[in-house]
Every structure is written in structure tokens, then in C-alpha cells.
Amino acid sequence: ALGLATPTALMVGTGMGAENGVLIRDGAAIQVLEGADVIVFDKTGTVTRGAPELTAIRPAPGFEESELLGLAGALEDRSEHPLGAAIVTAAKERLESLPAATAFEAVPGMGVVGNVGGRDVRVGSRRLLARDEIPTDDLVAEAALLEDEGQTVMFVAVDGEPAGLIAVADRVKADSREAIQVLHELGLETVMLTGDNARTAAAVGASVGIEDVRAGLLPGDKVEAIREIQESGRTVAMVGDGINDAPSLTRADVGIAIGTGTDIAIESADMIVVQGSLMGVVKAVRLSRATFRKIRQNLFWAYFYNTIAIPIAVLGLLHPILAEAAMAGSSITVVANANSLRRAPIDG
């Protein structure tokens, strides 16, 4: 019975997770998630849909909208970032063709650089242009207005000169706010980490009910933020979907990948939420807690039978047939109790 107590409950819990769109790659992750204190979320593709749309083009003097869109679209066509995909989609819809980009390089947490038609092009955050000593002062005021509206702004530079702004907006997933609210009701803290700017991140955080929002982070900064939370004595679960989230998923006590995300994020995680909905994270938390309730119950029953029967047997007062019956009964009780986990209300 003692040998069956834990594995039977974990087996049933893992099966239930698969039935409800939560794939558990490591049984130990159930235990870790059951004791989690903080759930950390990436923003793009996790809290938001990860399918942003182009919302604004603001060319600098000397540049045209179509020119700016074509250069940025050609460069982002080599990228895998969802924000870049929005630019590419709009460019292909509005322009006849895109020039080829060469010497492409993705700068983690900042943007992309490369050569388009013999011109040096850079698309990304203000920090990317600042790194390359390209002035952005003339674009900052316009960028702030767009960011206050919840849009993500990318700065574009051509041949070392500021060329303009391109803004995209990524809508929050329909059930993100509900999922965050339920996690709060379950006693969990929530944190959002993002490489996006502070204004846009704050707007998204407020819309879903996350108060602790940390913006402008590189992948290494996200890892450091998780380490900081862990060093305060709390257990951290990280939810993410992108390449930049892989180090954070690995660093967290338990990593939960969004199944609609990148293969690297999925490979780095202990659990996978297949449908991409944050309600899947709620299901995972409820399942982990229900599973460990059953494990504790199983251990109780296993000890209960043995605590009573062994002393009686030592005194010679327990007939062998009764001992065999008690042994079988304890095992049957544990297995039956584990299977009763299937009735646990992990959907709500």
C-alpha cells in the first residue's frame, strides 16, 4: 500500500492532465507546482494573443510610409518574433514585393539588424538604437503617445539615421483576466515580465489584473528577476511561449510552456498547456493540488492499516488469512482512492 500510494495518484493525475490539455513531462513538477507561491508570466503570446496587428507608421522627415514599411518588412521577414510577423503581414498586403535581406542578426531583447538593398537597417526598441548611438530624441514624444494607447512601438533606423516608428498592437487573450483572477483566488501571486516598454506593459498588466509588472527586460534580466523572487523564499512557476522565455522556464522551479509557442520553449518546460489558454494554467494548479491531496490520503490509509495490523500480528493474534485480507484491502483502498481523483473539479 505504501508503495502504491504515490505512483498511482501521480499516474491518474498525469492522465487527467492529458485529458484536459495539460501535458506533464515530469511527475516531480506536479509536486513543485502544488507548493508554488508565485506564477510569473511572459507578456507577448502568453497573456496576449501573440498575433499583433500593424496599427501605425510614423516616418521621419525624408522617408515615406511605404519605404519604411518595405525596409522593416524585408528585415522582419527573417525574424520569428510575433511583433515582426505583424509588420511582414502588413508589408506583403500593401506592397507588391519585399526586397531580400542579408547579414541578418537578431539581437535578443532588442530587435533585428541587417542589410536591405544595400542599406543598413535596424528595427527594434529604443535601446537598440541607443546601443548603436543613433539619436531618437525627435521620435520619443510620438512613441510615448502610441505607447500610452497600449501599442508596442518599434524604432527604425536606416544607414545610421532615425527613419521613423512602426507600432503594433497585440490584444489580450479573451480569458487572461479571468485566469489571473482565479489564480489570485487560489492564493497565488502573479508577476509579468516583458521586454516591451514600461507604458505598454503597464497597460496590459492593468487590463488583466497583474500589479507587479516588470518591463524592458532582456532574457537574462528575466532569469535574474526569477532568481530574485526565489531568493526571497518563494517557489516560482514560469509561464512562457517564446525563444526568449526558454532560459526563464529552465530557471523557474517549474516551467509551463504555452503549446502554441516555439519548440525551444516547449522543450525547456516541465508542463505544456496545449490550447494556449491561461485557463490551462489554472487547471494545472488545481490538478497538482488535487493530486497531492490524494497522495496524502493514500499515505494515511496505508499507515492506518499497517499501524493497526502489524502490532496485532506481532502478538500472534492475527490469523494469516485475515492478514492477507488486510493487505489486499489496503492496496485496494489506495488504488480506489487514487482513481477517485478523476472526479476532482479542476475545471472550476
Side-chain angles (χ1 to χ4, degrees), residues 168-328:
V168 299
D170 188 9
R171 286 184 290 174
V172 170
K173 291 178 181 177
D175 60 0
S176 289
R177 184 173 182 83
E178 178 187 0
I180 300 300
Q181 181 180 346
V182 174
L183 290 172
H184 289 166
E185 292 171 356
L186 291 173
L188 293 162
E189 297 178 42
T190 55
V191 178
M192 188 173 76
L193 308 179
T194 178
D196 211 338
N197 65 82
R199 286 190 178 89
T200 301
V204 172
S207 70
V208 297
I210 298 178
E211 295 182 0
D212 190 348
V213 176
R214 308 183 190 188
L217 304 180
L218 297 174
D221 297 328
K222 292 182 180 181
V223 173
E224 189 58 37
I226 290 175
R227 181 183 290 112
E228 177 187 325
I229 297 172
Q230 291 171 325
E231 289 176 351
S232 69
R234 292 175 289 178
T235 300
V236 179
M238 169 72 188
V239 186
D241 78 312
I243 293 175
N244 290 340
D245 299 323
S248 301
L249 291 169
T250 302
R251 172 64 201 183
D253 296 288
V254 57
I256 304 175
I258 300 298
T260 53
T262 63
D263 291 342
I264 293 178
I266 291 172
E267 286 297 320
S268 303
D270 304 300
M271 294 184 177
I272 302 160
V273 177
V274 175
Q275 299 299 324
S277 165
L278 290 191
M279 288 306 295
V281 179
V282 174
K283 290 180 181 180
V285 171
R286 285 174 170 161
L287 177 61
S288 68
R289 294 184 177 184
T291 299
F292 266 80
R293 278 197 299 270
K294 289 301 175 186
I295 289 175
R296 293 185 185 100
Q297 291 169 9
N298 282 351
L299 290 172
F300 168 79
W301 285 112
Y303 276 109
F304 175 78
Y305 276 103
N306 286 281
T307 301
I308 292 176
I310 289 176
I312 296 175
V314 169
L315 294 173
L317 302 177
L318 185 63
H319 193 280
I321 294 178
L322 294 178
E324 292 175 3
M327 186 71 167

